[in-house]
Amino acid sequence: MKEAFVNICNIPTHIITCGTWVEETLDNVKEVAICITGHLGHENPPETSLREVPQLKGNEELFDLDSQVRHKIEFIEKYVPEHTKIHLIGHSIGAWMVLQILRNESVHKRIKKCYLLFPTIERMIESPNGWVFTKIALPLYSVFGFIISLLNRLPEILKIFLVQIYFWFAAIPNYLIGTALKYAKPSVVEKVVFLAEDEMARVRALQRDIIKENMHLLKFYYGTTDGWVPIKYFTQLKEVFPDIDADLDVKKIDHSFVLRYSKPMACIVGDFIIDNSEILGMTTS
C-alpha cells in the first residue's frame, strides 16, 4: 500500500493505492477500482508539508458539492488512462457523487461498474439522521466547535486518552485513533459541516433520469439499520425500477461501516468487483 498527498484541483488530496502508485504509469493496467470516500479539504497534509489546504472562509466554492464532483473527475482524467476500465465505489454521499460523475462523457465511457454503498442519493434532510443534524447538531455546532477547539489545545497524550475512552464505550477499534484525531481538526470539521449543510439542501429528489440511463452500470447496496437511508428508500427504489440491481444488507452493517465492519464490507465489494470484472472473473472461473 502506498499513500501521499497529491494536488487535485490545486488542493492537496490524500490518496491511498494498493499496487501501482498513481503518479507511476498505468498504461498496462486494464482495470482499476476507485473508492470515493474522502473529500476535498477533509484531511490536511502533515504539519511538515509545504502544501496547505485553503481555509473555508472566503473559499466556500472550493468545498461545496459541485467542487467535490469536479475533484473526482479531475483525479480520473489526470491519473487514469483512457483505455483503463474503472470500477467506481461510492459510499454515502460518494454514491450521489458517482451519479453526477456519470454525466461526464469522458469518464462515462471508461466505467465498468459503479457500486453505491449505503447511498445517500435522495431526501437526506427527511431521514432520521438528517432531522437530528439539522434540528439538533447544527444549532449546537458552536458548542461542539468550542469542544473540538479545546480538545486540540490539549497535550497529545491526553487527546489520545480521551479518544480511547470514547472508542471503548463506542466499541471502535483503537487503530482508528490517529484517523479520528486528524479529522477532529477545527479546519477540517468546519468543512465537513459545510458540505453536510450543502447535502441537506441539494440532495432531495431521486435523480431518476441518471439511474434510468445507467442502470446497467449501477449496483446498489442498502443497509437495514441506516439512519441516513431508511429501508423505505430501498423498497421505493425497487418499485420505481423493478429490475434495478440493488441488495439489502442482511448482516446489520452500519452506515459508517469503516468503524466496525470494514473487513466484511471489503469482502462484499470485492465479490461485486470479481463478478463484474473481465480480468478477475476469468482468473477465478
Side-chain angles (χ1 to χ4, degrees):
M1 189 176 73
K2 303 175 183 178
E3 62 179 307
F5 280 81
V6 299
N7 279 347
I8 305 173
C9 294
N10 295 318
I11 296 177
T13 301
H14 190 198
I15 303 295
I16 302 174
T17 68
C18 291
T20 305
W21 176 240
V22 292
E23 294 176 310
E24 300 172 15
T25 179
L26 296 176
D27 290 341
N28 296 324
V29 178
K30 295 182 179 180
E31 290 184 7
V32 64
I34 299 175
C35 301
I36 300 178
T37 53
H39 303 298
L40 190 64
H42 289 193
E43 190 168 351
N44 292 327
E47 293 181 0
T48 55
S49 174
L50 297 177
R51 297 170 172 171
E52 290 186 358
V53 176
Q55 294 298 311
L56 175 64
K57 188 174 182 180
N59 297 294
E60 289 82 359
E61 75 284 352
L62 297 178
F63 303 106
D64 62 12
L65 272 173
D66 291 335
S67 293
Q68 297 291 351
V69 173
R70 287 195 297 271
H71 176 247
K72 279 62 180 176
I73 292 173
E74 181 172 314
F75 171 80
I76 293 171
E77 292 181 335
K78 185 174 182 180
Y79 292 111
V80 182
E82 290 190 9
H83 72 273
T84 302
K85 290 298 182 180
I86 301 170
H87 296 261
L88 275 181
I89 307 164
H91 168 240
S92 195
I93 194 61
W96 185 88
M97 293 177 188
V98 167
L99 295 180
Q100 314 318 307
I101 290 171
L102 288 173
R103 294 182 183 274
N104 183 282
E105 186 176 344
S106 69
V107 175
H108 186 281
K109 63 184 180 182
R110 313 185 207 180
I111 301 297
K112 184 70 178 177
K113 196 74 175 183
C114 301
Y115 313 97
L116 311 185
L117 314 177
F118 305 89
T120 53
I121 58 174
E122 60 174 311
R123 296 175 286 173
M124 285 189 68
I125 199 170
E126 298 175 26
S127 68
N129 283 5
W131 186 91
V132 171
F133 176 78
T134 54
K135 303 298 183 181
I136 299 176
L138 273 182
L140 293 176
Y141 175 58
S142 59
V143 177
F144 295 144
F146 173 77
I147 294 174
I148 291 169
S149 178
L150 184 62
L151 175 67
N152 278 274
R153 294 172 183 267
L154 297 175
E156 192 72 12
I157 190 170
L158 185 54
K159 286 192 290 185
I160 293 173
F161 176 70
L162 292 174
V163 173
Q164 277 182 321
I165 292 175
Y166 172 75
F167 275 25
W168 184 80
F169 279 105
I172 299 173
N174 279 341
Y175 68 80
L176 291 171
I177 289 176
T179 301
L181 290 174
K182 286 192 290 186
Y183 278 92
K185 300 292 184 183
S187 61
V188 172
V189 172
E190 65 178 3
K191 295 183 181 74
V192 172
V193 173
F194 172 77
L195 181 60
E197 287 186 272
D198 201 22
E199 293 168 19
M200 297 301 116
R202 296 275 304 282
V203 183
R204 297 294 186 117
L206 184 68
Q207 294 177 303
R208 299 187 181 190
D209 57 332
I210 304 178
I211 295 174
K212 183 177 181 179
E213 293 169 6
N214 297 281
M215 277 184 58
H216 63 294
L217 296 175
L218 301 175
K219 171 74 177 184
F220 292 86
Y221 194 86
Y222 283 79
T224 55
T225 60
D226 195 335
W228 286 108
V229 190
I231 293 180
K232 67 178 182 180
Y233 288 12
F234 166 79
T235 57
Q236 290 166 358
L237 178 75
K238 294 287 286 185
E239 290 171 1
V240 176
F241 300 105
D243 298 325
I244 196 78
D245 187 0
D247 292 342
L248 191 62
D249 173 65
V250 296
K251 299 182 179 181
K252 295 186 177 180
I253 295 177
D254 293 337
H255 180 91
S256 53
F257 60 81
V258 69
L259 297 179
R260 304 178 187 88
Y261 300 95
S262 57
K263 289 185 179 180
M265 199 67 235
C267 291
I268 291 170
V269 177
D271 288 340
F272 290 161
I273 294 175
I274 290 172
D275 290 342
N276 292 284
S277 168
E278 297 177 6
I279 299 172
L280 297 176
M282 290 189 298
T283 304
T284 56
S285 62

